[in-house]
């Protein structure tokens, strides 16, 4: 019994550490391939278009709704704790800039772009397209991972910044119509809580999240098992791993940034 | 543009009709109890580790973000209460929904999609069973019911994470952190959280079973179904988050007005 | 016993079946031949109610079934068994439970009779002793045979085969074709086989129907078909003769 449990644990650890080491190899390979020619500008741009342009409407749409909820909820809490809601704009804009915009954008990108990448690379893997690439002398990591990584880092940064601004704007509109704050009041309250460096930090968060998504997605895509259930299973695992990784990285970054406020 | 709009409307309509079918099956011919408990167990076990971990870190993030502001107002004592209240009302249900949509939603649509493209669903019908009753309903109910267990777990873990960060980062000891939770987290807040969780679970369960059930076109089709599930659940959850907040706000105002 | 009258089926803007009419007599083995994507499988799925036609009628034993409700179709599906193109076995069930599934749901037999019927069905497809295995542990050819056993176990009066030999090696193909012939003769069932394998159609069919672009372009016994002047049929025959 005991021995069996230990064996199982050991087996799990072996598999886990092997997966981690394979992931690290993929990251290292991607980094070195990124610096080696040929540079496929066209692929980078095409991926950037897919990541940034095509996700833009959905991201902005979602952060606007998130802004409304934030305003509603912070006004609820403010009224409860300090019996007035004059701080709502400041508090809400702080939450939006420091957490909400970056995390919501990243989670949406995980499901739209990340899941799509895993499904795409996984389908290529099980239909032997990746082997076909190798036969043609094309390095799969350079061909598939590098453009996606560059596009995702750039795209996620830009999207996070845009989402932050649009989200703030939506929050301002909501608080004007819903709680009666004039734009001037909103901006004054906002200025007390946040500064330009918060926008900068949001951009950094976006870039970090953007790097996680393609690496995790391609890793699971390359390891896809054959058959109809293989692609689905790989996609599921990739979405979950990316989401958890994003939350953990978010915590680490928030903690680090908090020493500079 | 019109093409996108019409396919979007078709999707929404299909989803609503599918939900109606599920509800009718639930009333007319409920699934076997074994299948139901099986699914609840499977969903819960699958997501325990990710939900717990995510809950822990979200609690920690909330505390980090709230601590500085609270210090400024000299209200560090409220830290625990506020962070927990925000988690119970809003962040917790949202987090559970996101985690479930990544893990269980994607898994369910992959599983059902695979059954669809390998003709297993047709086979079920040919052998005289109703796939809605046998396959869809247990999964649907499993997701809805286990989301409550996971919500509870996520909340406990987030309080835990908040406590540890509060002590390490803001110097609020455990006792002080916990003291204000009962005064700030009121019954309406808890109800609000539960309603949200329930609504999200319904939305999530409907979308993932619908997308899986209607998948077409081999391994690629299954992959596409999973991607579509992930995207549309996220968007729908955000929309329904606003909707429930809005409605609960109105309800609170009406109740207060009546008093 | 089964008759299609002017059957029409469309997907979106594409019309897959453009008015197909034919009848099948009791005990006959009918092959429906055609290239991929001409609506052969759609024809079968319409017969058991997995799809509904957009026009025309389907008569089974003197009943017009195409407007049946899902529950009424259960009656049809007890009479008409379908073997899918893929094995379509339930991966989480053992072979025994896979075969017993229909017996439990459709026939509602007691367990000891089910055991007897499962053994009999596995015997009929020349597979024994795999009851406790799970489908992924079996080879593709064996999965196909289990799938056949699952349908045969219900003792249907009509058997539908959707491309039974696609993706199989030549040896297994021959075995499956022999099995179809053997089962049809032994159980005295009517069989409809959808296929693009002219060779086996010529060897075991009583009658062959050739479908192209959603319409019947030729039909007749294997002997008649060999003399056909329709270009598509000649192409099929050329494959066999070569």
């Amino acid at each position: 019994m005991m021995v069996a449990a230990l064996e199982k644990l050991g087996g799990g650890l072996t598999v886990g550490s092997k997966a981690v080491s394979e992931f690290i190899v993929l990251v290292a390979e991607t980094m070195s391939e990124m610096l080696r020619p040929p540079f496929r500008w066209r692929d980078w741009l095409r991926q950037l278009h897919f990541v940034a342009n095509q996700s833009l409407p959905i991201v902005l749409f979602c952060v606007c709704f998130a802004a409304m909820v934030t305003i509603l909820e912070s006004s609820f809490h403010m009224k409860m704790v300090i019996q007035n809601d004059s701080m709502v704009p400041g508090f809400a804009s702080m939450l939006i800039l420091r957490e909400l915009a970056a995390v919501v954008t990243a989670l949406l990108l995980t499901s739209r772009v990340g899941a799509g990448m895993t499904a795409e690379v996984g389908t290529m893997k099980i239909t032997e397209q990746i082997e076909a690439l190798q036969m043609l002398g094309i390095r799969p990591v350079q061909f598939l991972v590098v453009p996606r990584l560059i596009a995702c880092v750039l795209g996620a940064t830009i999207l996070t910044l845009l989402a932050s601004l649009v989200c703030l704007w939506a929050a301002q509109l909501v608080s004007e119509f819903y709680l009666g704050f004039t734009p001037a009041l909103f901006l004054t309250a906002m200025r007390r809580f946040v500064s330009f460096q918060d926008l900068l930090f949001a951009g950094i968060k976006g870039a970090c999240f953007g790097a996680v998504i393609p690496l995790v997605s391609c890793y699971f895509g390359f390891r896809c098992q054959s058959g109809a259930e293989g692609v689905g299973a790989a996609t599921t695992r990739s979405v979950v791993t990316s989401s958890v990784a994003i939350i953990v990285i978010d915590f680490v970054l928030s903690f680090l940034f908090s020493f500079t406020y | 543009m019109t093409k996108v709009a019409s396919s979007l409307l078709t999707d929404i309509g299909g989803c609503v009709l599918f939900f109606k079918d599920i509800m009718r099956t639930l009333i007319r011919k409920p699934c076997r109890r074994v299948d139901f408990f099986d699914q609840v167990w499977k969903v819960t076990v699958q997501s325990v580790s990710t939900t717990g971990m995510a809950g822990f870190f979200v609690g920690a993030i909330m505390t980090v973000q709230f601590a500085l502001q609270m210090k400024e107002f000299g209200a560090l004592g409220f830290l625990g209460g506020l962070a927990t209240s925000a988690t119970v009302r809003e962040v917790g249900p949202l987090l559970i929904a996101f985690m479930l949509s990544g893990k269980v939603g994607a898994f369910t649509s992959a599983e059902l999609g695979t059954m669809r493209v390998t003709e297993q669903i047709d086979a079920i019908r040919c052998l005289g069973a109703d796939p809605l009753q046998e396959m869809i309903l247990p999964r649907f109910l499993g997701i809805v019911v286990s989301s409550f267990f996971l919500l509870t777990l996520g909340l406990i873990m987030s309080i835990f994470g908040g406590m540890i960060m509060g002590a390490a980062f803001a110097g609020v000891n455990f006792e002080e952190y916990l003291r204000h939770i009962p005064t700030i987290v009121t019954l309406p807040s808890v109800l609000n959280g539960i309603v949200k969780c329930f609504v999200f679970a319904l939305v999530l369960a409907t979308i993932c079973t619908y997308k899986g059930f209607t998948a077409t076109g081999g391994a690629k089709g299954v992959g596409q179904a999973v991607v579509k599930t992930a995207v549309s659940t996220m968007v729908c959850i955000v929309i329904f988050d606003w909707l429930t907040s809005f409605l609960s706000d109105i309800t609170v105002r009406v109740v207060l007005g009546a008093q | 016993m089964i008759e299609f009258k002017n059957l029409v089926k469309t997907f979106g803007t594409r019309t897959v079946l453009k008015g197909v009419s034919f009848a099948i007599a009791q005990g006959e083995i009918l092959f429906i031949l055609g290239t991929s994507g001409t609506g052969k499988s759609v024809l079968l799925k319409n017969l058991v109610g997995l799809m509904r036609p957009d026009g025309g009628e389907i008569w089974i034993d003197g009943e017009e079934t195409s407007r049946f409700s899902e529950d009424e179709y259960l009656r049809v599906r007890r009479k008409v068994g379908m073997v899918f193109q893929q094995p379509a076995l339930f991966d989480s069930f053992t072979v025994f439970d896979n075969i017993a599934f229909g017996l439990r749901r459709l026939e509602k037999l007691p367990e000891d009779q089910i055991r007897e019927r499962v053994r009999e069905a596995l015997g009929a497809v020349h597979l024994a002793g795999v009851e406790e295995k799970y489908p992924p542990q079996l080879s593709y050819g064996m999965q196909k045979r289990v799938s056949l056993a699952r349908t045969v176990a219900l003792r249907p009066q009509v058997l539908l085969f959707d491309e039974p030999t696609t993706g199989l090696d030549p040896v297994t193909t021959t075995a499956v074709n022999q099995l179809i012939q053997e089962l049809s003769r032994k159980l005295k069932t009517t069989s409809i086989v959808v296929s693009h394998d002219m060779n086996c159609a010529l060897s075991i069919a009583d009658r062959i129907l050739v479908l192209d672009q959603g319409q019947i372009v030729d039909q007749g016994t294997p002997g008649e078909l060999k003399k056909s002047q329709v270009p598509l049929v000649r192409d099929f025959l050329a494959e066999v003769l070569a």
Side-chain angles (χ1 to χ4, degrees), chain B residues 29 117-120 122-129 134, chain C residues 45 49 70 77 84-86 88-90 105-106 150 154:
Chain B
K29 25 183 186 181
V117 302
T118 55
E119 299 183 305
Q120 290 182 46
D122 283 345
I124 289 178
R125 287 174 67 185
C126 267
L127 296 172
E134 301 263 335
Chain C
K45 290 191 174 177
E70 187 73 18
R77 289 176 192 153
F84 291 91
Q85 186 170 350
Q86 288 158 315
L89 298 174
F90 310 126
R105 301 307 153 97
L106 271 180
R150 184 172 69 180
L154 291 163

Side-chain angles (χ1 to χ4, degrees), chain C residues 165-237:
Chain C
T165 54
T166 301
L168 293 180
D169 60 86
V171 179
T172 321
T173 301
T174 316
V176 168
N177 282 330
Q178 275 171 0
L179 209 55
I180 292 172
Q181 193 174 22
E182 196 182 306
L183 288 173
S184 305
R185 298 283 177 252
K186 200 161 72 187
L187 307 173
K188 299 194 174 49
T189 55
T190 312
S191 302
I192 306 180
V193 187
V194 153
S195 169
H196 42 233
D197 186 352
M198 185 55 135
N199 206 354
C200 79
L202 289 176
S203 60
I204 66 175
D206 294 324
R207 204 152 59 88
I208 301 171
L209 209 90
V210 183
L211 210 61
D212 188 29
Q213 314 273 333
Q215 279 165 324
I216 296 173
V217 290
D218 202 1
Q219 56 179 312
T221 60
E224 287 165 9
L225 256 265
K226 275 182 189 162
K227 297 183 209 103
S228 169
Q229 291 309 315
V230 179
L232 181 74
V233 184
R234 301 260 23 125
D235 287 349
F236 267 116
L237 284 169

Side-chain angles (χ1 to χ4, degrees), chain B residues 25-196:
Chain B
T25 315
L26 176 65
I27 293 163
R28 291 220 184 131
K29 25 183 186 181
C31 56
R32 290 186 309 160
R33 223 173 279 167
V34 186
D35 290 344
F36 165 65
F37 284 116
D38 215 39
Q39 284 299 326
V40 173
W41 172 246
K42 249 167 105 177
V43 172
T44 313
V45 167
Q46 258 178 4
S47 317
V48 154
S49 54
T50 41
T51 316
M53 200 160 137
F56 183 85
F57 280 101
V58 164
I61 294 170
M62 301 284 286
T63 308
V64 169
Q65 293 297 2
F66 280 139
L68 284 174
Q69 316 309 323
M70 292 292 120
K71 209 181 255 171
E72 196 178 318
F73 291 106
L76 264 183
F78 284 111
L79 180 64
L82 269 188
T84 311
S85 170
T87 316
V88 169
R89 286 177 59 89
E90 188 56 46
V91 184
L94 209 55
L95 174 83
I96 304 302
F98 276 179
M99 284 298 126
L100 274 182
S101 87
K103 187 109 194 170
V104 180
F107 176 81
T108 307
S109 76
E111 191 186 18
L112 291 171
T114 306
M115 294 187 75
R116 166 62 80 189
V117 302
T118 55
E119 299 183 305
Q120 290 182 46
I121 290 187
D122 283 345
I124 289 178
R125 287 174 67 185
C126 267
L127 296 172
D130 181 355
L132 272 173
Q133 182 194 4
E134 301 263 335
M135 314 306 309
I136 305 290
L137 197 57
R139 282 169 177 73
F140 184 87
L141 294 177
I143 292 175
V144 173
V145 171
S146 65
S147 73
F148 289 107
F149 299 140
L150 293 168
L151 177 70
T152 318
L153 173 83
L155 289 181
I156 292 171
M157 286 306 283
S158 81
I159 293 175
F160 206 59
M163 263 163 62
I164 289 175
M165 266 332 269
F169 182 71
V172 179
N173 63 30
F174 292 169
E175 201 186 326
E176 201 177 338
Y177 189 91
L178 293 175
R179 200 179 58 206
H180 274 287
I181 293 180
T183 56
I184 293 189
V185 184
T186 51
L187 185 66
S189 290
V190 175
L191 276 181
N192 190 35
I194 289 177
V195 168
K196 274 201 177 186

Side-chain angles (χ1 to χ4, degrees), chain C residues 1-3 26 58-65 79-80 157-158:
Chain C
M1 78 172 292
I2 294 176
E3 191 172 5
Q26 178 90 44
I58 301 169
W59 291 80
I60 302 174
D61 284 341
E63 284 181 300
E64 208 284 301
T65 61
K79 265 190 281 196
V80 184
Q157 296 163 25
V158 183

Side-chain angles (χ1 to χ4, degrees), chain C residues 100-111:
Chain C
F101 191 91
L103 296 170
R104 287 179 185 142
R105 301 307 153 97
L106 271 180
E107 304 277 327
K108 302 192 171 58
L109 291 178
E111 277 301 310

